[in-house]
Amino acid sequence: MPELPPAVRGFGVTFATMFKKVVTEEYPEQADRYPPKPRFHGRHQLNRWADGLEKCIGCELCAWACPADAILVEADSNTEEARFSPGERYGRVYQINYLRCIFCGLCIEACPTRALTMTNVYELADDNRADLIYEKKDLLAPLLPGMIPPPHRMVPGTTEKDYYAGKVTGSVPEQEPEGDSEIWYETQEPAVREGRA
Amino acid sequence: MTIAPQSPTEVAPTDLVTVSVDGIEVRVPKGTLVIRVAELMGIEIPRFCDHPLLDPVAACRACLIEIEGQPKPQPACAIAVTDGMVVRTQRTSPMADTAQEGVMEFLLLNHPLDCPVCDKGGECPLQNQAMTAGRGTSRFEEEKRTFEKPINVSAQILLDRERCVSCARCTRFADQIAGDPMLELLERGAKQQVGTAEDEPFDSYFSGNTIQICPVGALTSSLYRFRARPFDLVSTPTTCEHCASGCSLRTDVRRGVITRRLAWDDPEVNEEWNCDKGRFAFVYTYEGRIASPLVRENGELRPASWPEALDVAARGLAAARGRAGVLTGGRLTREDAYAYAKFARVAMGTGDIDFRARVASDEEAQFLASSVAGMPLGPTYADLDRAPVVLLVGLEPEDESPIIFLRLRRAAQKKGVRIVSLSPVRTRGMDKMDAQWWACQPGGEAVALRQIAENSADTLAALRQPGAVILVGERMAGVPGALSAAAELASSTGARLGWVPRRAGERGALDAGALAGLLPGGRPADDPRAREEVAAVWGVEASSLPTGGRVGQSLVDAILGDTSRAEREEERHIDALLVAGVEVADHERAEDLRRALSDVPFLVALSTHHNDVTEVADVVFPVAVVAEKAGSFTDWEGRTKPFSAAIHGAQSVADGRVLAMIADSMDVTFGAGDVASLRAEMDRLGMWTGARPAAPSVAPAASDASGTVALATWRLLLDAGALQEGEPHLAATARPTEALMSSETARSLGLGQAGSVTVSTDHGSLELPLRIADVVDGTVWVPMTSEGSRVLAIGASHGTRVRVTGGTA
Ligand code: SF4
Ligand code: SF4
Ligand code: SF4
Ligand code: SF4
Ligand code: FES
């Protein structure tokens, strides 16, 4: 059989491909059809206790463990007026810099309270650098039903040990802030709230 | 950690013993502790209670080692070596190793292991040694002992008793070093805990040291609580800017903000200790700072660009050349003070410069010129240790120079140094130093010193012994004749004389020439050779350097244009002032100075914060705080301690640079004004070697009995000082503001033994609670600059006669 000219042979490949199964995934239109694997390392999340208090105690162990120096934590004391987590200490400033993070997961391994875990969220693109530094408000887990946004007091009659022992299963009405604790937070200078003061 | 200071004398070979540690033979001085020998050999033995500057107690048992011939393991920190001793540490002895692991497991039984919320986490000897000398697992399964956490042992210091390993470092420090034994180990067994008496918090001036030496996170400070982990911090060795003791400190900075300061090791000065002011008073470095240059326009200060402000300042100062004055305050680094001294003479053509923003006198200026400025090192801290007797004249070391207090206390207790304090009040500090109280009415110090031969023959004899030291305090500047008498006494007995200013920058400013009549290096401004030397380095004509100059009172008079003074006729009034970080309220004649500042036609202020000076200034330049710049301080001994900037990349500029920029705008050759070039110039100049002016010989003032009672006063360590602002926890540990009187005086004035008194002058009055104390009769003591007791504001100072009445005026 005489050899066909190479140009025509090339069209043969093209023609044959038209009858093959398509492997292209329609992203982002059909993103839901292709969920990541359950243990995929995606964006981090700062978890809450069942009553809404934060689990993070601002210990900085995650920041210490991070090989990419992507995490910045500044802790502070919980007070009677403004309690964010059970116990003495909470994370006042919490930032993860997704320009640096390599999604290795060492931080979540280091976290002693399981405050920090990773979600499957991988859509972390943006058009500027500043927005890729996620603040505490961007990382905190959403409030589920039964949770009250901190600051508020612990479930009356419990200690932080009860929280760690899993004895707190939801909020109680007494924990509803009496007006001023939330106002306290709102009235702070931005510098105080963001920990620059 | 430091090795305890070795005695400077060589050890005679006969005092050496041979010991073997882990099979290696060494010869060490007899009596050395086994743990020190191991340290010197580089063998690390775990330890908690051991501290080289505290007496051994062997409380924690972490350091167990095997000594041949002893059936049980022994604590290395409490056993002194003997000749032929054979020691085996955990490296070679299974017995020692097991013992150490056992102790570590025991110490961790009740330890809460709450490292994630503990400030010590990351720099904790317990964490570290549990890893190096402990077992990986614990066999303890029961409930741990718990305590309420944390409790305050003072406003500044929090105690978490669960974490305590009962090492007794804090209690031994409080008892042995500070002499404030308010911390105690209470209870026994598992319940053993550190505590204070209910009504007596640990309000020691030195309390912060316990936080630093606590080997676990049981003691933490309110200020540093939860603020950082060690890996967040950039640490820089610095010199304290708060007093002339000259402590070496370590400043820890997180993202451009100081988070804490620690005592750093300088065996010649502060050893490993410092006071709470140096440790905790740094909030001022980041609160309320001036952000940009300011220029006054239509009576209001408004932000201006640097070029604009420089231009305005340069024009104003140039116009007043030869009719200008400079007030530098006592807080500048040595280099910055030198820059002012040079700027005054070269750019402003004036010799009217004074660094003393406090009670000061012409007699003192003369005393400083004759006996202090440009003098070599000494007397030193080590001289205090060795002295047969130390005479304190108008100096309360615990308040005015805390490290002198610690040294004297140790010298008295360990070496039997005799301390005599000439003071109107017998203070707690004196008792702690075992000092002998030589009572004297305030203002009567000069007379007392002159009469020493008759009154106190044994003191005189003691002062004649070689090595005797006389220390005079800042308040003697306000007692006519006192400094003359002290200088006279020193020269007649041969005792060494030390001048102890309170502020960190005073000695440096004096040596730098920031005092009229003195050029840098202690050179007399009217000595031709001195002028030549300085002119050569500055690149000016010697004839252009101003001679003399006015200080203190006459300077204020000159600014005020006080017509009663002869200067008015000579047209030597002052038309422009350059003022550095000066608190007007600290000045002896605060009201006059305040008036002078608002009267003077042109006022330039270089300041970190807004104060009474910037309020009326025509141009304000923001300058760096000490932590933001390199420089050096000269302590009371004359020891210069350089440091580099602790806060890197700060936007602010040091005073010296600002002056150089103004000089540039004035077209005056000044130099770059940076630390390196200023230092190089000072080094080229060196200290004056020629003749010095004679010591003052001012006669004691005749006692004036116009009021009922003589006022004694000095500044407490923790008071209303500007650099202590913004730290309420520190302020809460200050001594109470109260008036002290003897019960005799109180009775004669018809006052009760308690209640409040009113101390008044023609200019105002103070109302304070009264406490009966050991005060010389006819005298009332009040703190000089505390909240609610501003002595200068009522026109009084040490030695003034005042009226004292009961209750409210
Ligand atoms: S996933 Fe890894 S790189 Fe990212 S923040 Fe955590 S530790 Fe750092
Ligand atoms: S996320 Fe976890 S590890 Fe990080 S600071 Fe909070 S509690 Fe500590
Ligand atoms: S508080 Fe600290 S220094 Fe004091 S005894 Fe306990 S562990 Fe030792
Ligand atoms: S003693 Fe003086 S130099 Fe030392 S830390 Fe205290 S204030 Fe600073
Ligand atoms: S260090 Fe020796 S017993 Fe504590």
Side-chain angles (χ1 to χ4, degrees):
Chain A
M1 198 170 130
E3 280 266 304
L4 289 169
V8 178
R9 265 189 290 152
F11 277 116
V13 173
T14 311
F15 194 69
T17 305
M18 292 166 78
F19 297 99
K20 284 200 181 138
K21 192 170 178 285
V22 177
V23 295
T24 317
E25 293 175 2
E26 299 273 319
Y27 179 86
E29 291 81 3
Q30 297 176 1
D32 293 351
R33 282 177 55 192
Y34 308 99
K37 293 282 183 271
R39 294 176 67 183
F40 173 78
H41 280 180
R43 200 206 81 194
H44 301 73
Q45 170 167 299
L46 283 170
N47 299 310
R48 296 177 188 272
W49 296 104
D51 65 351
L53 283 179
E54 293 159 13
K55 284 191 174 178
C56 176
I57 51 170
C59 67
E60 300 195 32
L61 290 183
C62 49
W64 209 332
C66 179
D69 198 5
I71 307 186
L72 176 108
V73 185
E74 281 182 16
D76 210 338
S77 300
N78 283 312
T79 59
E80 283 316 308
E81 297 78 49
R83 169 175 295 287
F84 293 86
S85 70
E88 295 171 67
R89 176 169 176 152
Y90 78 102
R92 185 189 56 184
V93 176
Y94 197 100
Q95 293 178 347
I96 296 185
N97 183 344
Y98 283 107
L99 295 159
R100 302 193 68 127
C101 175
I102 55 170
F103 299 94
C104 63
L106 290 180
C107 51
I108 63 170
E109 253 177 69
C111 181
T113 61
R114 298 291 281 147
L116 192 66
T117 52
M118 284 171 123
T119 64
N120 288 344
V121 176
Y122 55 83
E123 292 177 309
L124 287 165
D126 219 317
D127 59 2
N128 68 89
R129 291 176 162 262
D131 287 347
L132 279 163
I133 299 173
Y134 279 49
E135 298 281 346
K136 190 169 145 184
K137 63 175 179 357
D138 308 318
L139 295 165
L140 269 174
L143 287 162
L144 299 178
M147 290 181 176
I148 302 171
H152 61 71
R153 66 173 108 157
M154 290 195 272
V155 173
T158 60
T159 64
E160 73 247 46
K161 291 214 174 89
D162 297 321
Y163 279 79
Y164 291 113
K167 292 186 190 154
V168 173
T169 52
S171 61
V172 295
E174 292 95 311
Q175 286 179 284
E176 289 287 353
E178 284 153 13
D180 40 352
S181 60
E182 203 166 357
I183 293 166
W184 173 87
Y185 186 70
E186 295 299 326
T187 53
Q188 292 303 296
E189 292 291 314
V192 172
R193 279 204 314 240
E194 288 153 27
R196 280 181 283 112
Chain B
M1 188 163 288
T2 17
I3 310 293
Q6 307 284 323
S7 75
T9 46
E10 282 289 305
V11 182
T14 48
D15 284 346
L16 292 176
V17 293
T18 307
V19 286
S20 136
V21 181
D22 289 343
I24 306 162
E25 290 216 336
V26 282
R27 282 164 67 70
V28 293
K30 193 159 72 192
T32 314
L33 296 171
V34 174
I35 201 165
R36 295 281 104 72
V37 177
E39 241 165 42
L40 290 171
M41 297 171 68
I43 298 171
E44 201 170 303
I45 298 176
R47 84 282 306 267
F48 293 108
C49 66
D50 169 65
H51 191 287
L53 301 176
L54 301 174
D55 297 343
V57 277
C60 72
R61 320 303 283 186
C63 63
L64 293 177
I65 42 110
E66 183 183 345
I67 296 176
E68 209 168 87
Q70 306 263 7
K72 287 193 193 163
Q74 299 292 325
C77 69
I79 305 264
V81 289
T82 53
D83 202 21
M85 187 185 262
V86 178
V87 174
R88 276 191 283 274
T89 71
Q90 72 279 6
R91 295 167 72 233
T92 54
S93 155
M95 184 219 232
D97 196 37
T98 328
Q100 288 179 8
E101 284 189 350
V103 169
M104 201 61 74
E105 189 181 5
F106 175 73
L107 288 175
L108 291 175
L109 285 188
N110 273 322
H111 193 83
L113 294 178
D114 56 356
C115 312
V117 293
C118 175
D119 275 338
K120 202 83 170 183
E123 51 182 8
C124 176
L126 183 60
Q127 277 184 333
N128 296 344
Q129 294 179 141
M131 301 301 277
T132 55
R135 265 193 273 271
T137 53
S138 168
R139 290 167 288 172
F140 186 71
E141 284 167 355
E142 290 74 15
E143 277 274 308
K144 293 194 185 225
R145 166 211 60 185
T146 55
F147 285 114
E148 180 202 335
K149 62 198 290 173
I151 55 170
N152 278 89
V153 290
S154 75
Q156 183 63 258
I157 299 185
L158 295 150
L159 167 67
D160 186 320
R161 290 165 293 174
E162 293 177 355
R163 295 180 189 147
C164 173
V165 293
S166 301
C167 71
R169 274 190 183 181
C170 56
T171 53
R172 276 179 294 155
F173 172 83
D175 181 32
Q176 296 168 12
I177 306 293
D180 297 317
M182 300 123 166
L183 277 188
E184 287 280 10
L185 274 172
L186 315 166
E187 315 267 355
R188 286 282 163 266
K191 284 273 162 223
Q192 187 168 56
Q193 53 179 282
V194 171
T196 55
E198 195 105 308
D199 50 351
E200 204 184 359
F202 184 42
D203 286 346
S204 166
Y205 282 162
F206 305 97
S207 64
N209 292 293
T210 60
I211 300 174
Q212 190 173 344
I213 59 173
C214 178
V216 296
L219 295 168
T220 53
S221 79
S222 305
L223 192 53
Y224 181 64
R225 202 168 155 76
F226 304 156
R227 284 194 66 187
R229 289 281 173 212
F231 67 89
D232 296 321
L233 302 171
V234 179
S235 306
T236 314
T238 48
T239 306
C240 180
E241 75 275 27
H242 286 289
C243 90
S245 283
C247 289
S248 284
L249 302 182
R250 183 182 112 185
T251 300
D252 285 354
V253 171
R254 181 176 194 186
R255 294 205 297 157
V257 175
I258 301 181
T259 54
R260 67 171 171 185
R261 301 216 298 189
L262 305 174
W264 215 225
D265 185 21
D266 184 344
E268 313 238 291
V269 178
N270 56 318
E271 303 187 304
E272 281 178 53
W273 317 124
N274 82 333
C275 80
D276 286 1
K277 178 152 78 170
R279 188 177 296 264
F280 297 124
F282 57 76
V283 175
Y284 80 92
T285 59
Y286 50 80
E287 271 184 7
R289 297 283 301 278
I290 300 177
S292 75
L294 305 167
V295 168
R296 191 168 298 278
E297 191 176 61
N298 304 329
E300 292 288 324
L301 280 183
R302 62 157 174 84
S305 68
W306 277 92
E308 184 192 357
L310 288 169
D311 187 51
V312 177
R315 272 188 285 122
L317 293 179
R321 198 185 150 85
R323 285 170 288 110
V326 182
L327 300 175
T328 70
R331 303 215 164 278
L332 296 174
T333 60
R334 198 175 59 111
E335 291 78 3
D336 283 339
Y338 171 78
Y340 279 95
K342 180 176 173 186
F343 188 86
R345 274 100 186 190
V346 175
M348 296 167 70
T350 180
D352 293 337
I353 176 168
D354 198 344
F355 66 85
R356 302 167 302 166
R358 52 175 170 81
V359 175
S361 63
D362 292 354
E363 179 191 358
E364 188 199 23
Q366 203 184 335
F367 167 77
L368 295 177
S370 71
S371 316
V372 184
M375 289 294 213
L377 180 68
T380 61
Y381 284 107
D383 291 334
L384 301 182
D385 272 340
R386 288 191 289 258
V389 64
V390 177
L391 172 63
L392 305 176
V393 180
L395 172 69
E396 179 58 29
E398 198 185 14
D399 284 316
E400 297 177 294
S401 198
I403 301 305
I404 296 188
F405 167 76
L406 291 186
R407 270 307 171 106
L408 286 178
R409 178 162 194 272
R410 194 185 66 187
Q413 298 205 328
K414 298 243 151 139
K415 314 235 170 87
V417 173
R418 183 170 157 221
I419 299 165
V420 182
S421 180
L422 179 63
S423 167
V425 188
R426 177 169 158 188
T427 61
R428 215 166 76 185
M430 281 179 209
D431 292 344
K432 286 185 270 193
M433 296 188 296
D434 300 330
Q436 189 182 328
W437 180 34
W438 178 12
C440 142
Q441 282 252 334
E445 288 88 349
V447 179
L449 287 175
R450 293 215 177 271
Q451 290 175 346
I452 190 170
E454 298 127 59
N455 288 357
S456 181
D458 67 321
T459 309
L460 190 65
L463 286 173
R464 289 224 167 91
Q465 297 169 72
V469 176
I470 302 174
L471 297 182
V472 289
E474 165 180 295
R475 80 184 96 112
M476 286 305 100
V479 176
L483 290 168
S484 308
E488 154 87 44
L489 182 63
S491 68
S492 69
T493 57
R496 303 196 66 180
L497 181 61
W499 173 67
V500 185
R502 241 176 23 85
R503 293 200 170 109
E506 295 217 348
R507 180 69 193 263
L510 177 64
D511 289 348
L515 183 67
L518 284 177
L519 292 171
R523 291 176 172 75
D526 46 14
D527 184 291
R529 178 161 72 87
R531 297 167 64 80
E532 284 299 337
E533 286 174 2
V534 174
V537 172
W538 285 354
V540 294
E541 287 298 319
S543 57
S544 73
L545 290 178
T547 44
R550 290 157 294 184
V551 294
Q553 309 280 350
S554 19
L555 187 50
V556 176
D557 286 335
I559 308 168
L560 278 175
D562 191 332
T563 42
S564 67
R565 304 271 161 163
E567 276 110 18
R568 191 69 181 163
E569 283 111 63
E570 295 171 34
E571 294 246 313
R572 286 182 61 204
H573 50 92
I574 287 189
D575 285 341
L577 263 185
L578 173 66
V579 184
V582 172
E583 285 299 312
V584 176
D586 289 346
H587 209 273
E588 185 174 7
R589 287 165 59 196
E591 279 321 306
D592 287 347
L593 181 60
R594 212 182 301 272
R595 196 152 51 86
L597 290 175
S598 48
D599 280 2
V600 76
F602 191 68
L603 174 60
V604 179
L606 273 60
S607 188
T608 56
H609 293 74
H610 278 293
N611 57 19
D612 294 349
V613 181
T614 61
E615 201 145 279
V616 291
D618 295 287
V619 188
V620 178
F621 291 99
V623 286
V625 293
V626 171
E628 291 164 343
K629 61 188 177 188
S632 57
F633 282 120
T634 305
D635 72 359
W636 68 274
E637 308 164 279
R639 187 191 305 275
T640 294
K641 299 185 65 171
F643 54 87
S644 53
I647 300 175
H648 302 276
Q651 297 294 308
S652 44
V653 195
D655 298 57
R657 273 293 297 146
V658 177
L659 294 180
M661 289 190 279
I662 302 178
D664 263 352
S665 310
M666 294 168 77
D667 267 337
V668 171
T669 313
F670 184 80
D674 60 320
V675 170
S677 54
L678 293 170
R679 247 183 226 167
E681 268 181 40
M682 295 171 82
D683 288 348
R684 267 176 70 198
L685 277 166
M687 293 299 175
W688 177 237
T689 48
R692 290 171 188 280
S697 56
V698 174
S703 93
D704 139 49
S706 56
T708 51
V709 169
L711 180 79
T713 186
W714 60 78
R715 290 186 72 149
L716 296 177
L717 181 73
L718 301 177
D719 64 1
L723 300 192
Q724 295 162 56
E725 255 165 38
E727 206 346 53
H729 304 111
L730 177 66
T733 65
R735 301 268 159 88
T737 301
E738 54 190 7
L740 306 183
M741 262 190 203
S742 68
S743 59
E744 181 54 43
T745 315
R747 195 173 21 228
S748 71
L749 292 168
L751 303 170
Q753 300 294 294
S756 70
V757 292
T758 301
V759 177
S760 50
T761 64
D762 293 342
H763 304 283
S765 66
L766 306 169
E767 195 196 327
L768 302 106
L770 170 68
R771 185 162 65 82
I772 299 301
D774 279 334
V775 182
V776 67
D777 285 339
T779 299
V780 60
W781 179 90
V782 300
M784 186 156 167
T785 315
S786 296
E787 219 43 76
S789 180
R790 302 254 185 191
V791 169
L792 294 172
I794 64 162
S797 61
H798 185 78
T800 312
R801 307 293 298 192
V802 294
R803 292 181 296 276
V804 179
T805 48
T808 319

